[in-house]
Amino acid sequence: MNIVREALAGTQESSDLMVKIAPAQGELEIVIHSEVIKQFGEQIRQVVDETLRAMDVRQGLIIVEDKGALDCVIRARLQSALIRASETQQIDWSKMS
């Protein structure tokens, strides 16, 4: 998946998160800010990494501002932002967990 424009998904409300995506040259850069990073930082990172891998994202800037979201919310917000940021018309949902 090619990131061609900036995109947002989510809110800054409790139990949600905001995902910001921007095109970037070079390697994929992931920045995670979370109120619960000490307790759940590894799990948040794992969900983000798995989602990016499933959607074949290799370049770009991904910023996650977490307010205690569940894994399913993290995945859904990231998928939404990626679709908005790309020119992808068709998604193979069978690859998504």
Side-chain angles (χ1 to χ4, degrees):
M1 178 174 284
N2 222 8
I3 296 172
V4 296
R5 66 180 67 86
E6 293 183 3
L8 297 172
T11 69
Q12 300 246 344
E13 299 294 322
S14 180
S15 299
D16 201 354
L17 75 156
M18 174 75 71
V19 176
K20 302 172 188 176
I21 297 182
Q25 296 299 327
E27 294 187 22
L28 184 62
E29 182 179 354
I30 303 167
V31 179
I32 299 173
H33 301 284
S34 176
E35 294 178 348
V36 293
I37 197 86
K38 289 183 181 180
Q39 296 95 336
F40 301 107
E42 289 180 33
Q43 179 64 22
I44 295 167
R45 180 60 175 220
Q46 182 179 345
V47 172
V48 170
D49 288 345
E50 287 172 359
T51 304
L52 292 172
R53 200 173 317 109
M55 295 188 78
D56 196 29
V57 177
R58 296 190 181 120
Q59 289 185 328
L61 172 62
I62 314 294
I63 301 172
V64 176
E65 301 281 346
D66 176 56
K67 300 291 184 181
L70 297 173
D71 291 359
C72 58
V73 176
I74 297 169
R75 194 173 296 109
R77 296 299 193 194
L78 185 53
Q79 289 170 345
S80 295
L82 287 167
I83 291 168
R84 291 173 184 167
S86 74
E87 293 180 329
T88 302
Q89 300 298 316
Q90 300 261 346
I91 303 295
D92 183 359
W93 293 109
S94 66
K95 293 182 182 179
M96 304 301 141
S97 46

